Amino acid sequence: MGAVLSGVVFLAAAVHIAFGGSSIPFDQVVRAVVGLEVDSRIQLAVTEFRAPRTVAAVIAGSCLAAAGAITQTISRNPLATPDILGVTAGASLGAVTVLVAADGGAAGLQGPASVIGLPLAAFGGGTLAALAVYWLSGYRTSDSYRLVLVGLGVNGLAVALTTWMLTLGDVTSAAQVLTWMSGSLNGKDWPLIAPMGAVAAALLIAAAGAGRWLDLMGFDDDVAVGIGVRVTRLRPSAFALATVLASAAVIVAGPLAFVALASPQIARMLAGSAAPPIIPSALIGAGLVLVADAVAAHALPVALPAGVATAVLGAPYLIYLVLRYQRSLM
């Protein structure tokens, strides 16, 4: 399944590059991507102008989906994802604080602030939110009902503080930051995408390496301990890894809604497994963001941020999960 999904993501990325201000023939895009000889103007358009946005979509989608797969597995709850647990909201708060302090700057900073300041602030905000959820839930990420409730509270607080931060900036900065907060892939360039791509690759490799142990976390704690899983060590470590993955996605594309919620469950259904598989979830997340960005930017009369499309697609699914979870508690 991984090979098939990888092929689908590659085709989706090529289509994503092909459609822009002016269309580029699909075969020419593929030749440029794989390094074959093409017209120099097409090579420049593909590699310098359009590829950073496409790679950003892949990074954000894969990191969010992998983070969602981890949190859903360790909590045994499809609702327990980084966006619902407040992690992405915390990362957004940290990033917005830096963006407002730097007067927006195209909702992505320029120079050292974009490469160092924004990522550090987002990682810090996401980490603080995760620590708050972990502490307030009584160190019991396996108690999914309590975890989700605490996460919703932390998420609400982070959103409120973010809104307050926006009032401290000028109107232009606030408008730019609001665009970024809706999940935008506009204005991406290699100075930010290249290092974040390396970070994302390392994190995804770590998540894939932990996949076998995470699968065992789908069992009851007593069963997991009985088959040799160190639950008390693995659960907080996995939660920390999911936090960093989600924060990395926020740095690249802002808080894209519902990607972490839907992608792991789609992967789980395709794989027929009890827990969402990490790599298939990441591939589906990458493809979902690529399609959402292409549709939002080119298929509608007015170009919209990718986060608007993912929200429209994901909101009905969230309602379905809430209703199903509610029936299971009755």
Side-chain angles (χ1 to χ4, degrees):
M1 184 174 68
V4 174
L5 289 175
S6 297
V8 171
V9 171
F10 179 81
L11 290 176
V15 171
H16 187 269
I17 293 174
F19 290 96
S22 59
S23 298
I24 301 175
F26 183 76
D27 63 314
Q28 295 298 304
V29 171
V30 174
R31 290 178 63 87
V33 169
V34 299
L36 298 177
E37 184 178 353
V38 295
D39 184 273
S40 59
R41 291 171 297 178
I42 292 178
Q43 184 72 41
L44 180 65
V46 170
T47 58
E48 295 299 324
F49 299 141
R50 299 190 184 183
R53 181 181 184 127
T54 300
V55 175
V58 172
I59 293 172
S62 59
C63 286
L64 280 174
I70 293 172
T71 54
Q72 288 175 355
T73 298
I74 62 177
S75 64
R76 308 185 190 100
N77 187 339
L79 292 174
T81 59
D83 40 2
I84 292 177
L85 297 179
V87 174
T88 56
S92 297
L93 174 59
V96 167
T97 300
V98 174
L99 289 170
V100 171
D103 293 330
L109 304 179
Q110 303 298 323
S114 67
V115 180
I116 300 174
L118 178 62
L120 286 179
F123 280 127
T127 300
L128 288 176
L131 289 173
V133 171
Y134 193 66
W135 177 63
L136 293 172
S137 62
Y139 309 102
R140 290 182 290 181
T141 50
S142 60
D143 186 350
S144 62
Y145 183 71
R146 180 170 183 165
L147 183 70
V148 169
L149 287 179
V150 171
L152 288 172
V154 172
N155 182 76
L157 176 61
V159 169
L161 290 174
T162 301
T163 303
W164 174 68
M165 285 299 303
L166 289 174
T167 65
L168 302 180
D170 58 42
V171 175
T172 302
S173 296
Q176 292 173 335
V177 173
L178 282 172
T179 300
W180 177 84
M181 287 181 61
S182 64
S184 175
L185 292 167
N186 293 332
K188 303 305 174 185
D189 54 19
W190 288 122
L192 174 64
I193 300 305
M196 290 309 302
V199 170
L203 293 173
L204 290 170
I205 291 172
R212 183 172 69 89
W213 296 105
L214 289 171
D215 288 341
L216 299 177
M217 293 290 292
F219 296 107
D220 182 81
D221 280 2
D222 292 336
V223 176
V225 171
I227 56 180
V229 180
R230 296 182 178 181
V231 174
T232 56
R233 292 186 181 182
L234 180 59
R235 182 170 284 126
S237 299
F239 193 53
L241 178 58
T243 298
V244 179
L245 279 164
S247 299
V250 170
I251 292 166
V252 170
L256 293 167
F258 300 116
V259 176
L261 179 75
S263 302
Q265 292 304 305
I266 295 173
R268 184 186 63 81
M269 288 186 289
L270 290 176
S273 58
I278 301 295
I279 296 303
S281 296
L283 292 171
I284 290 173
L288 178 61
V289 175
L290 285 168
V291 172
D293 185 51
V295 170
H298 307 298
L300 301 174
V302 178
L304 296 173
V308 175
T310 61
V312 170
L313 294 173
Y317 184 66
L318 174 61
I319 295 172
Y320 162 74
L321 283 180
V322 170
L323 293 176
R324 191 180 73 175
Y325 188 65
Q326 184 182 37
R327 286 196 297 269
S328 69
L329 295 176
M330 296 176 63

Coordinates of all heavy atoms in Angstrom, one line a residue, residues 45-129:
A45 N 10.7 27.8 -13.4 CA 9.3 28.0 -12.9 C 9.0 26.8 -11.9 O 8.4 27.0 -10.9 CB 8.3 28.0 -14.0
V46 N 9.4 25.6 -12.3 CA 9.1 24.4 -11.5 C 9.9 24.4 -10.2 O 9.4 24.2 -9.1 CB 9.4 23.1 -12.3 CG1 9.3 21.9 -11.4 CG2 8.3 23.0 -13.4
T47 N 11.3 24.6 -10.4 CA 12.1 24.3 -9.2 C 12.2 25.5 -8.2 O 12.3 25.3 -7.0 CB 13.6 24.0 -9.7 OG1 14.1 25.1 -10.5 CG2 13.6 22.7 -10.5
E48 N 12.1 26.7 -8.7 CA 12.2 27.9 -7.9 C 10.9 28.6 -7.4 O 10.8 29.1 -6.3 CB 13.1 28.9 -8.6 CG 14.5 28.5 -8.8 CD 15.3 28.2 -7.6 OE1 15.0 28.8 -6.5 OE2 16.1 27.2 -7.6
F49 N 9.9 28.5 -8.3 CA 8.7 29.3 -8.0 C 7.6 28.4 -7.5 O 6.8 28.8 -6.6 CB 8.2 30.0 -9.3 CG 9.2 31.1 -9.7 CD1 9.4 31.2 -11.1 CD2 10.0 31.8 -8.9 CE1 10.4 32.2 -11.6 CE2 10.9 32.7 -9.3 CZ 11.1 32.9 -10.7
R50 N 7.4 27.2 -8.0 CA 6.3 26.4 -7.7 C 6.6 25.2 -6.7 O 5.8 24.8 -5.9 CB 5.6 25.8 -8.9 CG 5.1 26.9 -9.9 CD 4.2 26.4 -11.0 NE 3.8 27.5 -11.9 CZ 3.0 27.3 -12.9 NH1 2.5 26.1 -13.2 NH2 2.7 28.3 -13.7
A51 N 7.8 24.7 -6.9 CA 8.2 23.5 -6.1 C 8.2 23.8 -4.6 O 7.7 23.0 -3.8 CB 9.5 23.0 -6.5
P52 N 8.6 25.0 -4.1 CA 8.6 25.3 -2.7 C 7.2 25.2 -2.1 O 7.0 24.6 -1.0 CB 9.1 26.7 -2.5 CG 10.0 26.8 -3.7 CD 9.3 26.1 -4.8
R53 N 6.2 25.7 -2.8 CA 4.8 25.6 -2.3 C 4.3 24.1 -2.3 O 3.7 23.7 -1.3 CB 3.9 26.4 -3.2 CG 2.4 26.4 -2.8 CD 1.5 27.2 -3.8 NE 0.2 27.2 -3.3 CZ -0.5 28.3 -3.2 NH1 0.1 29.5 -3.4 NH2 -1.8 28.3 -2.8
T54 N 4.7 23.3 -3.3 CA 4.3 21.9 -3.3 C 5.0 21.1 -2.2 O 4.3 20.3 -1.5 CB 4.7 21.3 -4.7 OG1 4.0 22.0 -5.7 CG2 4.3 19.8 -4.7
V55 N 6.3 21.4 -2.0 CA 7.0 20.7 -0.9 C 6.4 21.1 0.4 O 6.3 20.3 1.4 CB 8.5 21.0 -1.0 CG1 9.2 20.4 0.2 CG2 9.1 20.4 -2.3
A56 N 6.0 22.4 0.6 CA 5.4 22.8 1.8 C 4.1 22.1 2.1 O 3.8 21.7 3.2 CB 5.2 24.3 1.8
A57 N 3.3 21.9 1.1 CA 2.1 21.1 1.2 C 2.4 19.7 1.7 O 1.7 19.1 2.6 CB 1.3 21.1 -0.1
V58 N 3.4 19.1 1.1 CA 3.7 17.7 1.5 C 4.2 17.6 2.9 O 3.8 16.7 3.7 CB 4.8 17.1 0.5 CG1 5.3 15.8 1.0 CG2 4.2 17.0 -0.9
I59 N 5.1 18.6 3.3 CA 5.6 18.6 4.7 C 4.5 18.8 5.7 O 4.4 18.0 6.6 CB 6.6 19.7 4.8 CG1 7.9 19.4 4.0 CG2 7.0 19.9 6.3 CD1 8.9 20.6 4.0
A60 N 3.6 19.8 5.4 CA 2.6 20.1 6.4 C 1.6 18.9 6.5 O 1.2 18.5 7.6 CB 1.8 21.4 6.0
G61 N 1.2 18.4 5.3 CA 0.2 17.3 5.4 C 0.7 16.0 6.0 O 0.0 15.4 6.8
S62 N 1.9 15.7 5.7 CA 2.5 14.4 6.2 C 2.8 14.6 7.7 O 2.5 13.6 8.5 CB 3.8 14.1 5.5 OG 4.8 15.1 5.6
C63 N 3.3 15.7 8.2 CA 3.6 15.9 9.6 C 2.3 15.9 10.4 O 2.2 15.3 11.5 CB 4.3 17.2 9.8 SG 6.1 17.1 9.3
L64 N 1.3 16.6 10.0 CA 0.0 16.7 10.7 C -0.6 15.3 10.8 O -1.1 14.9 11.8 CB -1.0 17.6 10.0 CG -0.8 19.1 10.3 CD1 -1.7 20.0 9.5 CD2 -1.0 19.4 11.8
A65 N -0.6 14.6 9.6 CA -1.3 13.2 9.6 C -0.5 12.3 10.5 O -1.1 11.5 11.2 CB -1.3 12.7 8.2
A66 N 0.8 12.3 10.5 CA 1.6 11.4 11.3 C 1.3 11.7 12.8 O 1.2 10.8 13.7 CB 3.1 11.5 11.0
A67 N 1.3 13.0 13.1 CA 1.0 13.4 14.5 C -0.4 13.0 14.9 O -0.5 12.5 16.1 CB 1.1 15.0 14.6
G68 N -1.3 13.1 14.1 CA -2.7 12.6 14.4 C -2.7 11.1 14.6 O -3.4 10.6 15.5
A69 N -2.0 10.4 13.8 CA -2.0 8.9 13.9 C -1.4 8.5 15.3 O -1.9 7.6 15.9 CB -1.1 8.3 12.8
I70 N -0.4 9.3 15.7 CA 0.3 8.9 17.0 C -0.7 9.2 18.1 O -0.9 8.4 19.0 CB 1.6 9.7 17.2 CG1 2.6 9.3 16.2 CG2 2.1 9.6 18.6 CD1 3.9 10.1 16.1
T71 N -1.3 10.4 18.2 CA -2.2 10.8 19.3 C -3.4 9.9 19.3 O -3.9 9.6 20.4 CB -2.5 12.3 19.3 OG1 -3.1 12.6 18.0 CG2 -1.3 13.1 19.5
Q72 N -4.0 9.6 18.1 CA -5.1 8.7 18.1 C -4.8 7.3 18.6 O -5.6 6.7 19.3 CB -5.7 8.6 16.7 CG -6.4 9.9 16.2 CD -6.8 9.8 14.8 OE1 -6.5 8.9 14.1 NE2 -7.5 10.9 14.3
T73 N -3.6 6.9 18.4 CA -3.2 5.5 18.8 C -3.0 5.5 20.3 O -3.5 4.6 21.0 CB -1.9 5.1 18.1 OG1 -2.2 5.0 16.7 CG2 -1.5 3.7 18.5
I74 N -2.2 6.4 20.8 CA -1.9 6.3 22.3 C -3.1 6.6 23.1 O -3.1 6.2 24.3 CB -0.7 7.3 22.6 CG1 -1.1 8.7 22.4 CG2 0.5 6.9 21.9 CD1 0.0 9.7 22.8
S75 N -4.1 7.4 22.6 CA -5.3 7.7 23.4 C -6.4 6.7 23.1 O -7.4 6.7 23.8 CB -5.7 9.1 23.1 OG -6.1 9.3 21.8
R76 N -6.3 6.0 22.0 CA -7.3 5.1 21.5 C -8.6 5.8 21.2 O -9.7 5.4 21.5 CB -7.6 3.9 22.5 CG -6.3 3.2 22.9 CD -6.6 2.0 23.8 NE -5.4 1.5 24.3 CZ -4.9 1.7 25.5 NH1 -5.6 2.5 26.3 NH2 -3.8 1.2 26.0
N77 N -8.5 7.0 20.7 CA -9.7 7.9 20.4 C -9.4 8.6 19.1 O -8.4 9.4 19.0 CB -9.9 8.9 21.5 CG -11.1 9.7 21.4 OD1 -11.7 9.8 20.3 ND2 -11.6 10.2 22.5
P78 N -10.3 8.5 18.1 CA -10.1 9.2 16.8 C -10.3 10.7 16.9 O -9.9 11.4 16.0 CB -11.2 8.6 15.9 CG -12.2 8.1 16.8 CD -11.5 7.6 18.0
L79 N -10.8 11.2 18.0 CA -11.0 12.6 18.2 C -9.7 13.3 18.8 O -9.6 14.5 18.8 CB -12.2 12.9 19.1 CG -13.6 12.6 18.6 CD1 -14.6 12.8 19.7 CD2 -13.9 13.4 17.4
A80 N -8.8 12.5 19.3 CA -7.7 13.0 20.0 C -6.6 13.3 19.0 O -5.7 12.5 18.7 CB -7.2 12.1 21.1
T81 N -6.6 14.5 18.4 CA -5.7 14.9 17.4 C -5.0 16.2 17.9 O -5.6 16.9 18.7 CB -6.3 15.1 16.0 OG1 -7.3 16.1 16.1 CG2 -6.9 13.8 15.5
P82 N -3.9 16.6 17.3 CA -3.2 17.8 17.8 C -4.0 19.1 17.6 O -3.8 20.0 18.5 CB -1.9 17.9 16.9 CG -1.7 16.5 16.5 CD -3.0 15.8 16.4
D83 N -4.9 19.2 16.6 CA -5.7 20.4 16.5 C -6.8 20.5 17.6 O -7.1 21.5 18.1 CB -6.2 20.6 15.1 CG -6.7 19.3 14.5 OD1 -6.7 18.2 15.2 OD2 -7.2 19.3 13.3
I84 N -7.3 19.3 17.9 CA -8.4 19.3 18.9 C -7.8 19.4 20.3 O -8.4 20.0 21.3 CB -9.3 18.1 18.8 CG1 -10.1 18.2 17.5 CG2 -10.2 17.9 20.0 CD1 -10.9 17.0 17.2
L85 N -6.6 18.9 20.5 CA -5.9 18.9 21.8 C -5.2 20.2 22.1 O -4.6 20.4 23.1 CB -4.9 17.7 21.9 CG -5.5 16.3 21.9 CD1 -4.4 15.3 21.9 CD2 -6.5 16.1 23.0
G86 N -5.2 21.1 21.2 CA -4.7 22.5 21.4 C -3.2 22.6 21.1 O -2.7 23.7 21.2
V87 N -2.6 21.6 20.5 CA -1.2 21.7 20.2 C -0.9 22.6 19.0 O -0.1 23.5 19.1 CB -0.6 20.3 19.9 CG1 0.9 20.4 19.4 CG2 -0.7 19.4 21.1
T88 N -1.7 22.5 18.0 CA -1.6 23.4 16.8 C -2.0 24.8 17.2 O -1.3 25.8 16.7 CB -2.4 22.9 15.6 OG1 -3.8 22.8 16.0 CG2 -1.9 21.6 15.1
A89 N -2.9 25.0 18.1 CA -3.3 26.3 18.5 C -2.2 27.0 19.3 O -1.9 28.2 19.2 CB -4.6 26.3 19.3
G90 N -1.5 26.1 20.2 CA -0.4 26.7 20.9 C 0.8 27.0 20.0 O 1.4 28.1 20.2
A91 N 1.0 26.2 19.0 CA 2.1 26.5 18.1 C 1.7 27.8 17.3 O 2.6 28.7 17.0 CB 2.3 25.4 17.1
S92 N 0.5 28.0 16.9 CA 0.0 29.2 16.2 C 0.2 30.4 17.1 O 0.6 31.5 16.6 CB -1.4 29.0 15.8 OG -1.6 28.0 14.9
L93 N -0.1 30.3 18.4 CA 0.0 31.4 19.3 C 1.5 31.8 19.4 O 1.8 33.0 19.3 CB -0.4 31.0 20.7 CG -0.2 32.0 21.8 CD1 -0.9 33.3 21.5 CD2 -0.7 31.5 23.2
G94 N 2.4 30.9 19.5 CA 3.8 31.3 19.5 C 4.2 31.9 18.2 O 4.9 32.9 18.2
A95 N 3.8 31.4 17.0 CA 4.2 31.9 15.8 C 3.6 33.3 15.6 O 4.2 34.3 15.1 CB 3.7 31.0 14.6
V96 N 2.3 33.5 15.9 CA 1.6 34.8 15.8 C 2.3 35.8 16.6 O 2.4 37.0 16.2 CB 0.1 34.6 16.1 CG1 -0.5 36.0 16.3 CG2 -0.6 33.8 15.0
T97 N 2.7 35.5 17.8 CA 3.4 36.4 18.7 C 4.6 37.0 18.0 O 4.9 38.2 18.0 CB 3.9 35.7 20.0 OG1 2.7 35.2 20.7 CG2 4.6 36.7 20.9
V98 N 5.4 36.2 17.3 CA 6.6 36.6 16.6 C 6.2 37.4 15.3 O 6.7 38.5 15.0 CB 7.5 35.4 16.2 CG1 8.6 35.9 15.3 CG2 8.0 34.8 17.4
L99 N 5.1 36.9 14.6 CA 4.7 37.6 13.4 C 4.2 39.0 13.7 O 4.5 40.0 13.0 CB 3.6 36.8 12.7 CG 4.0 35.5 12.1 CD1 2.8 34.7 11.7 CD2 4.9 35.8 10.9
V100 N 3.4 39.2 14.8 CA 2.9 40.5 15.2 C 4.0 41.4 15.6 O 4.1 42.6 15.3 CB 1.8 40.4 16.3 CG1 1.5 41.7 16.8 CG2 0.6 39.7 15.7
A101 N 5.0 40.8 16.4 CA 6.1 41.6 16.8 C 6.9 42.1 15.7 O 7.6 43.2 15.8 CB 7.0 40.8 17.8
A102 N 7.0 41.4 14.6 CA 7.8 41.8 13.4 C 6.9 42.4 12.3 O 7.3 42.6 11.2 CB 8.5 40.5 12.8
D103 N 5.7 42.9 12.7 CA 4.8 43.5 11.8 C 4.5 42.7 10.6 O 4.4 43.2 9.4 CB 5.4 44.9 11.3 CG 5.5 45.9 12.5 OD1 4.6 45.8 13.4 OD2 6.4 46.7 12.4
G104 N 4.2 41.4 10.8 CA 3.7 40.6 9.7 C 4.7 40.1 8.7 O 5.1 38.9 8.7
G105 N 5.2 41.0 7.9 CA 6.2 40.6 6.9 C 5.7 39.5 6.0 O 6.3 38.4 5.8
A106 N 4.5 39.7 5.3 CA 3.9 38.7 4.4 C 3.6 37.4 5.1 O 3.6 36.4 4.5 CB 4.9 38.5 3.2
A107 N 3.2 37.6 6.4 CA 2.8 36.4 7.2 C 3.8 35.3 7.1 O 3.5 34.2 7.2 CB 1.4 35.9 6.8
G108 N 5.0 35.7 6.9 CA 6.1 34.8 7.0 C 7.3 35.8 7.1 O 7.2 36.8 6.4
L109 N 8.2 35.7 8.0 CA 9.2 36.7 8.2 C 10.3 36.6 7.1 O 10.3 35.6 6.4 CB 9.8 36.6 9.6 CG 8.7 36.6 10.7 CD1 9.4 36.5 12.0 CD2 7.9 37.9 10.7
Q110 N 11.1 37.6 7.1 CA 12.2 37.6 6.2 C 13.5 37.4 6.9 O 13.6 37.8 8.1 CB 12.3 38.9 5.4 CG 11.0 39.2 4.6 CD 10.7 38.1 3.6 OE1 11.6 37.6 2.9 NE2 9.4 37.8 3.4
G111 N 14.5 36.8 6.3 CA 15.8 36.7 6.9 C 15.9 35.7 8.1 O 15.1 34.8 8.2
P112 N 16.7 36.0 9.1 CA 16.9 35.1 10.2 C 15.6 34.9 11.0 O 15.4 33.8 11.5 CB 18.0 35.8 11.1 CG 18.7 36.7 10.2 CD 17.7 37.2 9.2
A113 N 14.7 35.9 11.1 CA 13.5 35.7 11.9 C 12.6 34.6 11.3 O 12.0 33.8 12.0 CB 12.7 37.0 11.9
S114 N 12.6 34.4 9.9 CA 11.8 33.4 9.3 C 12.4 32.0 9.5 O 11.7 31.0 9.6 CB 11.6 33.7 7.8 OG 12.9 33.6 7.2
V115 N 13.8 31.9 9.6 CA 14.4 30.6 9.7 C 14.6 30.2 11.1 O 14.6 29.0 11.4 CB 15.8 30.7 8.9 CG1 16.5 29.4 9.0 CG2 15.6 31.1 7.5
I116 N 14.7 31.1 12.0 CA 15.0 30.8 13.4 C 13.9 31.2 14.4 O 13.3 30.4 15.1 CB 16.3 31.4 13.9 CG1 17.5 30.9 13.0 CG2 16.6 31.1 15.3 CD1 18.8 31.6 13.3
G117 N 13.5 32.5 14.3 CA 12.6 33.0 15.3 C 11.2 32.4 15.2 O 10.7 32.0 16.2
L118 N 10.6 32.3 14.0 CA 9.3 31.8 13.9 C 9.3 30.3 14.3 O 8.4 29.9 15.0 CB 8.8 32.0 12.4 CG 7.4 31.4 12.1 CD1 6.3 32.0 13.0 CD2 7.1 31.6 10.6
P119 N 10.2 29.4 13.8 CA 10.2 28.0 14.2 C 10.3 27.8 15.7 O 9.6 27.0 16.3 CB 11.3 27.4 13.4 CG 11.5 28.3 12.2 CD 11.2 29.7 12.7
L120 N 11.2 28.6 16.3 CA 11.4 28.4 17.7 C 10.2 28.8 18.5 O 9.8 28.2 19.5 CB 12.6 29.3 18.2 CG 14.0 28.7 17.8 CD1 15.1 29.7 18.3 CD2 14.2 27.3 18.4
A121 N 9.5 29.9 18.1 CA 8.3 30.4 18.8 C 7.2 29.3 18.6 O 6.4 29.1 19.6 CB 7.9 31.7 18.2
A122 N 7.1 28.8 17.4 CA 6.0 27.8 17.2 C 6.3 26.5 18.0 O 5.3 26.0 18.6 CB 5.9 27.5 15.7
F123 N 7.5 26.0 18.0 CA 7.8 24.9 18.7 C 7.6 25.1 20.2 O 7.1 24.2 21.0 CB 9.3 24.5 18.5 CG 9.5 23.7 17.3 CD1 10.5 24.1 16.3 CD2 8.8 22.5 17.0 CE1 10.7 23.4 15.2 CE2 9.0 21.8 15.8 CZ 10.0 22.2 14.9
G124 N 8.0 26.3 20.7 CA 7.7 26.6 22.1 C 6.3 26.7 22.5 O 5.9 26.1 23.5
G125 N 5.5 27.3 21.6 CA 4.0 27.4 21.9 C 3.4 26.0 21.9 O 2.5 25.7 22.7
G126 N 3.7 25.2 20.9 CA 3.2 23.9 20.8 C 3.6 23.0 22.0 O 2.7 22.3 22.6
T127 N 4.8 23.1 22.4 CA 5.3 22.4 23.6 C 4.6 22.8 24.9 O 4.2 21.9 25.7 CB 6.8 22.5 23.7 OG1 7.5 22.1 22.6 CG2 7.3 21.8 24.9
L128 N 4.4 24.1 25.1 CA 3.7 24.6 26.3 C 2.3 24.1 26.3 O 1.8 23.7 27.4 CB 3.8 26.1 26.3 CG 5.1 26.7 26.7 CD1 5.1 28.2 26.6 CD2 5.6 26.3 28.1
A129 N 1.6 24.1 25.2 CA 0.2 23.6 25.1 C 0.2 22.1 25.4 O -0.7 21.7 26.2 CB -0.4 23.9 23.7

